[in-house]
Amino acid sequence: MTARTAADARTDARDAYQADFAACPTNRLLDRMGDKWVGLVLKELAEAPQRYGELARSIPGASQKMLTQTLRRLERDGLLSRTVTPAVPVRVDYELTPLGRSLLPVLDAVTRWAEQNIGQVDRAREAYDAQQG
């Protein structure tokens, strides 16, 4: 029988913490919300459903690939729905689900906080960077 070392105990503790962190609902949601285009897509769809082309025009910095990936992830998470209407050409509309709409007040609160405090954050970063070298 082998003895457990302190290093083994630290490894086990780290692994348990990482498993808890990965399962944390807040962490999981913030991970999605932190994706580059998610906030803009949600804000664009807050007013009304939009077609893919409308979203692409209103978020010009997002490549077709990234916008498509973002829309698919939000659909997978249940935050938006995708409706395909057979026509020539095919019409695809994206709309926030009730779950997605329930996230808008949270996004608005974060936006307001950022707008009110980004100056302080920037100054703190500059002061920190100046101290570092």
Side-chain angles (χ1 to χ4, degrees):
M1 178 179 211
T2 60
R4 261 178 67 81
T5 66
D8 291 336
R10 284 192 301 274
T11 298
D12 291 346
R14 184 190 68 236
D15 292 346
Y17 175 81
Q18 288 174 342
D20 288 345
F21 186 74
C24 172
T26 303
N27 180 57
R28 291 172 54 206
L29 181 62
L30 288 175
D31 186 48
R32 173 65 67 233
M33 297 307 298
D35 286 350
K36 187 170 185 177
W37 304 107
V38 167
L40 291 173
V41 168
L42 293 176
K43 286 186 176 203
E44 287 298 322
L45 293 175
E47 298 301 318
Q50 291 190 34
R51 295 176 74 173
Y52 182 89
E54 294 171 316
L55 284 169
R57 282 189 294 281
S58 62
I59 308 172
S63 68
Q64 181 178 352
K65 177 183 176 184
M66 290 309 301
L67 182 56
T68 298
Q69 285 179 354
T70 299
L71 291 167
R72 285 182 181 156
R73 288 177 184 145
L74 291 172
E75 182 181 11
R76 180 175 180 255
D77 290 343
L79 299 175
L80 64 80
S81 63
R82 177 180 183 266
T83 304
V84 178
T85 305
V88 178
V90 173
R91 179 183 174 110
V92 180
D93 292 288
Y94 294 91
E95 180 177 12
L96 291 179
T97 62
L99 182 63
R101 288 208 165 280
S102 73
L103 191 54
L104 292 176
V106 175
L107 186 58
D108 289 340
V110 170
T111 299
R112 280 192 310 278
W113 187 93
E115 289 169 350
Q116 292 169 358
N117 294 289
I118 195 63
Q120 288 180 313
V121 171
D122 288 341
R123 287 188 295 281
R125 287 176 178 173
E126 289 168 8
Y128 179 89
D129 291 347
Q131 287 179 340
Q132 298 304 309

